[in-house]
Amino acid sequence: MSSFGRAIASARKGKGMSQKELATKIVKEDGEAITPQYLNDIEHDRRSPSSDHLVGEFAKVLKMDPLALYGVIGMLPEQDRKLVRKSTPDQINQAFVAFRKKLKE
């Protein structure tokens, strides 16, 4: 996966869905579906999903691993952000060393 947008576009096309079809299935926190234009912007990396909720929606609808999506966005899920806030700088450094080591395997 090289970007969130490319991952979403690839998964959508793999499921034979149009942007309009996928947009109607991705529901924001307010209960409204995203627009096809917003999805188009995401797929072309002009925008990123604005919340953990939307990342979860894309993962659920497209049957993707949400952690992989967080990885290509370059952010942590809320539960991991909470852990970081409770950790010492040394613990955070050790976690990132282990993270980088695993990805290089």
Side-chain angles (χ1 to χ4, degrees):
M1 283 194 234
S2 58
S3 75
F4 185 84
R6 288 186 205 143
I8 296 302
S10 176
R12 176 183 60 76
K13 290 174 185 173
K15 296 196 176 303
M17 298 172 74
S18 69
Q19 286 184 334
K20 187 175 181 179
E21 289 171 320
L22 178 57
T24 63
K25 295 178 185 228
I26 304 296
V27 179
K28 298 180 290 186
E29 291 90 334
D30 65 4
E32 296 288 322
I34 64 170
T35 65
Q37 181 59 53
Y38 180 73
L39 177 58
N40 187 57
D41 286 348
I42 285 176
E43 288 189 357
H44 288 90
D45 296 321
R46 291 188 292 260
R47 299 178 81 169
S48 293
S50 57
S51 68
D52 289 301
H53 175 81
L54 281 180
V55 174
E57 283 288 295
F58 279 108
K60 180 180 71 177
V61 171
L62 293 171
K63 300 187 180 355
M64 300 175 76
D65 181 349
L67 294 178
L69 291 177
Y70 278 106
V72 292
I73 295 170
M75 63 184 271
L76 299 171
E78 176 58 25
Q79 68 215 34
D80 294 331
R81 292 192 301 265
K82 287 179 182 175
L83 287 173
V84 168
R85 286 191 288 269
K86 294 178 182 175
S87 301
T88 65
D90 191 48
Q91 288 173 312
I92 296 167
N93 186 44
Q94 289 176 14
F96 276 104
V97 167
F99 176 74
R100 285 189 289 271
K101 182 178 178 183
K102 183 66 178 177
L103 291 180
K104 288 180 181 178
E105 291 179 351

